[in-house]
Amino acid sequence: MNNQNLPLRAAELRLETLRVFEARGFGHVGGAMSVVETLAVLYNGVMRVDPERPDWPERDRLVCSKGHAGPAVYAALAARGYFAKSLLKTLNRPGTTLPSHCDMNRTPGVDMTTGSLGQGVSTAVGLALGQKLRGFDARTYLIVGDGECDEGQVWEGLMLAAHKKLDNLIVFCDKNGQQLDGYVKDVLDTGDLAAKFASFGFFTQSVNGHDTAAIENAALAAVKEGAASHRPSMIVLNTKKGYGCTFAEDQEFNHHIAFTEEQMNGALAAARDKIAALAPAAGEVTA
Amino acid sequence: MSVTVKTVLRTEEKMMRDTYCRVLMELAETNENIVALDADLMSSSGMKPFMKAYPSRFVNCGVAEANMVGVAAGMSAMGFVPFAHTFGTFATRRVCDQIFMSAAYAKLNVRIVGTDPGVCAAYNGGTHMPLEDMAVLRAIPEMILVEPTDSVMLENLLPQIAAKRGVYYIRLNRKNAAGVYEPGSAFEIGKGVLLRDGGDVTLFASGIMTAEALEAAKLLSEQGVAARVVNLFTWKPADVELIVESAEKTGAVVTCENHNVVGGLGGAVAETLVKNCPVPVEMVGVQDLFGEVGPEDYLRGRFSLNAADIAAAALRAVKRKA
């Protein structure tokens, strides 16, 4: 039985993520929008975390190796109660606790510093190895981008994860098909990523990365299958870069973009409409 | 810090790597957080005994140094104290960004051990000869860079390195070093060691150049020049106090390193002195050249890294005094 609230949680998270960018007028919009549903799923039931104890040693960890998706991660952390939502407006301001790329020393709830692509794969492998060595029943979740898979280090890390049978490592590959300079197929075609991950020894699933039920089911299957076969898991998320953001979606160059107030207002209105459509009618009880 | 210097320097009986592995295993016995990583050079690094004693705490990452550094950083975020090993070349220039972001910028707790410093890479040749390893990492904030001089120092430093949080690079000669210190000598990271006093010139030396500097002091003494010899085994943080005090006392300085003179020990000393006590500085080291293949003795001659080269540089420095 899926968490029936997830579509609404994801819609709310998309609105909050847009609002993180709103005050700045620019940012890494595309790659933040494409992982919103995954973050909503992770922080609403899948990950075992406690916002009251962000340093709890036995917690599940999240490494967002595509560190430029930080704004979406921050919105998810604020929604989960790690810090006040009012802080979200401080993105990239001098002295902020919310820098453009994830920083474990600045933001409560961020488990690893990322930004230089590929490196989060290795640190996640180290975390998962460490969790096992400590004997913790804990998992490390990792989000990588498909453009990020250009980095050789990604594959070094995946190879070691499979070799060490890290069944507590669950990776999401955000296959949004775009990178900074254009479409992945044009810049550096990564080919059949799912087949590559499977051949690297991962229990690999492909899902619609904007379908929260599908993501949740895949995460639960990953946990189950990982334990059964002692394999790390890969969930390939078929996504759209900029998804749900009216001015970024369907743009070839939406990795880091500037927007007008009018464009943002349009995107916010669309996000609010989505929430209104999903919100339960007055008096309706949600599980 | 309490140090006794040997009166006669002899090559140590044990290889530095054997001392290294033994001491790390001793530390691992009481500190269960110590873990070791290697990149398919376990046999060269001398870490096989550790792997056999602590198989679950040893991770051979294969020939994937960048991944090794990241895995070490991740393990340190779980409270482990990782020591990651490979040749000095691959431990630094190949993984500079991984050391920068995953370890240092993330303020994690990682030790990188790079073996075969400078001409000690000998028969592996120029491709494997780290003459820039310290320079590459010295520009990263908060890094701690040490080059243990001999086995006595290595044995004394390792417990400190294991105990104190930070990102370390340990420049390790895995062969038999010239024994400079008597057993029981104690050292402090960040503090240089005064090996010999003298009023005319200071010789700041590190690694294999320490014994050469002591020999150079003898040569200079025969020519009536009194050299002060300081073992600067910590390149970062620099021992500003001792560097400045020595320069003030002697008025001329020679730096002696088995490394490119650009950005290394000479750079660290010169940066300190231009700000605090500008005196003539001569730099003995590899003069911005690539390494070559050959026996260590040949390479020391090829790159002018012998006692006679230090003595000649000292005379030049003394002559430049106003």
Side-chain angles (χ1 to χ4, degrees):
Chain A
M1 181 68 179
N2 292 115
N3 181 343
Q4 298 300 308
N5 287 326
L6 286 177
L8 177 59
R9 294 287 95 82
E12 290 166 348
L13 187 53
R14 174 156 287 105
L15 175 67
E16 284 302 325
T17 305
L18 287 169
R19 295 188 63 194
V20 177
F21 291 116
E22 185 184 7
R24 293 285 83 195
F26 57 87
H28 291 104
V29 177
M33 289 297 129
S34 55
V35 294
V36 160
E37 280 74 19
T38 298
L39 290 166
V41 169
L42 286 175
Y43 282 103
N44 285 282
V46 169
M47 279 179 66
R48 196 179 57 160
V49 293
D50 180 0
E52 298 297 317
R53 295 180 292 163
D55 295 327
W56 177 38
E58 295 185 42
R59 71 190 184 278
D60 288 343
R61 317 259 170 157
L62 172 68
V63 178
C64 184
S65 189
K66 41 175 287 183
H68 53 276
V73 175
Y74 306 150
L77 290 172
R80 191 73 169 82
Y82 280 88
F83 48 84
K85 283 187 181 176
S86 57
L87 275 180
L88 292 173
K89 289 181 200 153
T90 68
L91 181 81
N92 288 347
R93 286 193 182 159
T96 186
T97 55
L98 307 177
S100 58
H101 296 80
C102 298
D103 187 328
M104 64 190 291
N105 294 301
R106 294 186 191 275
T107 315
V110 168
D111 291 316
M112 186 52 69
T113 297
T114 53
S116 181
L117 294 175
Q119 295 193 30
V121 177
S122 304
T123 49
V125 170
L127 284 165
L129 261 173
Q131 287 170 324
K132 277 201 171 280
L133 204 46
R134 289 265 181 248
F136 292 165
D137 177 23
R139 295 185 178 79
T140 295
Y141 294 87
L142 163 67
I143 301 176
V144 297
D146 54 352
E148 181 176 10
C149 290
D150 294 355
E151 292 281 4
Q153 190 176 352
V154 168
W155 304 95
E156 293 183 4
L158 296 183
M159 210 171 352
L160 185 67
H163 178 70
K164 290 288 179 187
K165 303 187 191 317
L166 296 181
D167 52 20
N168 60 336
L169 177 70
I170 297 175
V171 189
F172 295 90
C173 177
D174 178 20
K175 193 157 89 63
N176 60 33
Q178 289 176 257
Q179 53 194 113
L180 195 146
D181 275 340
Y183 296 105
V184 170
K185 66 179 171 48
D186 298 328
V187 177
L188 176 57
D189 193 345
T190 46
D192 186 344
L193 279 173
K196 288 180 181 175
F197 296 137
S199 77
F200 268 62
F202 276 65
F203 169 58
T204 305
Q205 307 170 79
S206 291
V207 300
N208 175 351
H210 300 304
D211 178 343
T212 52
I215 298 167
E216 189 185 32
N217 288 339
L220 297 175
V223 168
K224 200 171 163 192
E225 179 65 24
S229 64
H230 303 296
R231 279 184 290 171
S233 282
M234 175 66 72
I235 300 168
V236 178
L237 304 163
N238 292 303
T239 58
K240 275 178 91 170
K241 197 160 179 169
Y243 181 78
C245 173
T246 47
F247 60 85
E249 198 175 329
D250 298 322
Q251 300 293 314
E252 183 176 1
F253 301 103
N254 61 11
H255 181 81
H256 185 275
I257 51 173
F259 47 82
T260 65
E261 194 178 337
E262 191 183 356
Q263 283 176 316
M264 178 51 89
N265 286 339
L268 291 170
R272 288 192 180 102
D273 287 349
K274 175 86 174 171
I275 292 170
L278 289 166
E284 192 175 327
V285 178
T286 56
Chain B
M1 195 162 63
S2 154
V3 168
T4 313
V5 180
K6 285 184 190 288
T7 44
V8 180
L9 307 193
R10 288 199 183 89
T11 304
E12 292 180 331
E13 284 177 14
K14 293 234 182 223
M15 290 175 81
M16 291 274 270
R17 71 177 182 188
D18 294 336
T19 301
Y20 174 81
C21 186
R22 173 179 60 77
V23 176
L24 197 65
M25 284 171 66
E26 287 169 11
L27 293 168
E29 204 174 315
T30 52
N31 183 351
E32 62 184 20
N33 288 326
I34 291 177
V35 293
L37 300 93
D38 217 308
D40 195 35
L41 281 175
M42 171 180 68
S43 305
S44 301
S45 308
M47 287 297 289
K48 256 187 185 165
F50 188 104
M51 183 273 289
K52 285 184 178 159
Y54 301 103
S56 66
R57 289 158 66 184
F58 182 86
V59 185
N60 197 331
C61 297
V63 196
E65 297 82 6
N67 185 48
M68 175 176 70
V69 171
V71 170
M75 293 185 88
S76 83
M78 285 300 301
F80 290 98
V81 180
F83 286 74
H85 312 79
T86 180
F87 287 154
T89 42
F90 313 133
T92 57
R93 65 184 194 224
R94 190 182 185 97
V95 299
C96 180
D97 191 39
Q98 283 74 21
I99 294 177
F100 177 90
M101 191 193 79
S102 291
Y105 185 82
K107 297 192 183 292
L108 287 168
N109 192 23
V110 178
R111 290 108 188 94
I112 310 288
V113 181
T115 64
D116 301 35
V119 297
C120 300
Y123 292 112
N124 268 331
T127 55
H128 286 53
M129 197 161 285
L131 294 169
E132 63 296 303
D133 51 336
M134 297 293 244
V136 164
L137 298 184
R138 207 164 66 81
I140 298 177
E142 299 174 24
M143 285 284 307
I144 302 163
L145 308 180
V146 295
E147 183 175 35
T149 310
D150 64 8
S151 290
V152 172
M153 180 188 280
L154 179 63
E155 180 153 8
N156 182 258
L157 289 183
L158 274 176
Q160 300 179 48
I161 291 169
K164 196 176 167 216
R165 193 178 169 87
V167 181
Y168 294 80
Y169 176 60
I170 304 157
R171 192 178 206 236
L172 183 66
N173 181 3
R174 62 185 160 114
K175 300 174 192 166
N176 307 65
V180 171
Y181 298 104
E182 291 287 358
S185 296
F187 306 86
E188 190 180 334
I189 290 170
K191 296 287 176 198
V193 185
L194 180 61
L195 296 177
R196 174 186 172 126
D197 213 352
D200 296 327
V201 62
T202 303
L203 313 178
F204 290 113
S206 177
I208 62 169
M209 299 303 285
T210 311
E212 297 298 321
L214 285 168
E215 185 60 28
K218 284 186 197 163
L219 298 175
L220 289 164
S221 164
E222 288 162 13
Q223 297 177 60
V225 174
R228 180 180 171 98
V229 181
V230 173
N231 181 197
L232 282 183
F233 66 89
T234 312
W235 293 30
K236 189 177 184 176
D239 186 349
V240 174
E241 197 180 340
L242 184 57
I243 292 169
V244 173
E245 177 198 309
S246 301
E248 283 173 346
K249 187 167 177 190
T250 61
V253 158
V254 179
T255 57
C256 317
E257 61 192 307
N258 170 25
H259 186 273
N260 193 342
V261 294
V262 176
L265 187 70
V269 169
E271 287 159 19
T272 304
L273 291 180
V274 290
K275 281 189 282 190
N276 299 285
C277 179
V279 298
V281 177
E282 293 286 330
M283 296 182 190
V284 173
V286 176
Q287 304 295 316
D288 208 14
L289 298 166
F290 291 111
E292 288 178 18
V293 74
E296 195 177 310
D297 282 353
Y298 160 78
L299 293 168
R300 283 179 193 240
R302 164 73 183 84
F303 294 114
S304 305
L305 301 177
N306 287 310
D309 302 305
I310 299 172
L315 293 177
R316 288 198 302 274
V318 169
K319 202 173 170 185
R320 285 171 57 198
K321 284 196 209 182

